[in-house]
Amino acid sequence: MQTIFITGTDTDAGKTYVAVALLQGLKALGYRTVAQKPVAAGVNGAGFNTDALQLQQHATEQLSYEMVNPYCLTDAVAPHLAAAKARLSIEPAVLTKELQKLQAVDADVALVEGAGGWLLPLDDHSTMADWVAEQQLPVLLVVGMKLGCLNHALLTVREIERSGLKLVGWVANCIDPDMAYQQENINYLQQQLTAPCLGVLPYQSEPQLNTSLASAFIKQLRN
């Protein structure tokens, strides 16, 4: 199984949107998939995180909600703050145990979606990036295309590379339909980032089935 960690340039960059697009495309190409959002903050009326529910719905191998989202925190704030309010602690050892459960499922690809941006705090001393580095997971970066994304993307890539992890590629997710010079910004990132752009997702409410992103993703994993 290939396990990939999906991070974003910021909160609302579209990590789940891209993950769903990948899951849909991979399924259409005949790949078996599992997905996990280890830490999520913010729940619906039933007490579930909607991002995690989407991952659960679109993966080919159906897992329990608890396996998809081990840490489900009520308040839609930074997870370490939500955990503190709930008198919980986010334990890296628990994240590792849950990841191992995910990787034990018979599937071809596992997508593990982060929360917020790359340096998301788990507590006062560690970040999600620290845990990803410990697990040595390859990383896919979602760049939310909006004003300021160049700085966010370059800083995030610098930190990923500083962690010694492989950046398998990045996706330009067009979250702002009115962004000025959008294509010029994408061109700049293509010039500056050594990892390839695996796709450009247009602004739309729901990802449309398109296997090109999944095909580019699989091709890059094989390199």
Side-chain angles (χ1 to χ4, degrees):
M1 178 192 288
Q2 292 270 11
T3 305
I4 304 297
F5 185 82
I6 300 178
T7 192
T9 46
D10 201 352
T11 299
D12 294 330
K15 297 182 300 297
T16 304
Y17 185 85
V18 171
V20 167
L22 274 173
L23 290 171
Q24 291 175 335
L26 290 168
K27 179 179 180 180
L29 293 173
Y31 292 92
R32 297 166 300 164
T33 59
V34 289
Q36 187 177 75
K37 190 173 179 72
V39 178
V43 298
N44 62 13
F48 300 109
N49 179 264
T50 55
D51 290 345
L53 286 174
Q54 290 188 66
L55 298 181
Q56 182 187 37
Q57 174 187 351
H58 290 283
T60 65
E61 310 307 301
Q62 293 304 298
L63 309 177
S64 69
Y65 180 84
E66 292 73 21
M67 192 168 176
V68 173
N69 180 206
Y71 282 102
C72 182
L73 305 165
T74 301
D75 290 352
V77 297
H80 72 298
L81 300 179
K85 182 177 179 181
R87 298 184 179 180
L88 299 173
S89 59
I90 301 172
E91 300 289 345
V94 172
L95 299 181
T96 300
K97 181 180 178 180
E98 295 300 326
L99 175 64
Q100 290 170 345
K101 289 181 183 178
L102 185 77
Q103 293 173 323
V105 178
D106 186 16
D108 302 307
V109 178
L111 300 182
V112 180
E113 182 191 326
W118 177 243
L119 293 178
L120 176 91
L122 297 180
D123 54 34
D124 292 339
H125 309 290
S126 63
T127 67
M128 182 69 83
D130 295 327
W131 177 76
V132 177
E134 288 175 3
Q135 304 306 310
Q136 287 295 292
L137 298 178
V139 179
L140 175 67
L141 174 63
V142 177
V143 179
M145 298 305 301
K146 63 177 183 178
L147 184 63
C149 69
L150 300 183
N151 177 61
H152 290 168
L154 294 173
L155 287 175
T156 301
V157 169
R158 181 178 295 180
E159 280 298 305
I160 292 170
E161 292 176 342
R162 192 175 69 85
S163 298
L165 296 171
K166 179 181 179 180
L167 180 63
V168 298
W170 59 280
V171 176
N173 187 31
C174 301
I175 59 176
D176 179 2
D178 301 316
M179 181 184 184
Y181 299 101
Q182 181 183 87
Q183 187 58 53
E184 289 82 355
N185 278 265
I186 294 172
N187 292 344
Y188 179 83
L189 289 175
Q190 288 176 323
Q191 294 168 6
Q192 296 298 317
L193 303 181
T194 56
C197 177
L198 302 183
V200 177
L201 297 187
Y203 179 83
Q204 51 194 10
S205 58
E206 296 291 338
Q208 302 299 311
L209 178 59
N210 185 335
T211 58
S212 61
L213 175 61
S215 296
F217 174 75
I218 290 296
K219 181 179 179 180
Q220 189 62 16
L221 291 186
R222 291 172 174 168
N223 288 342

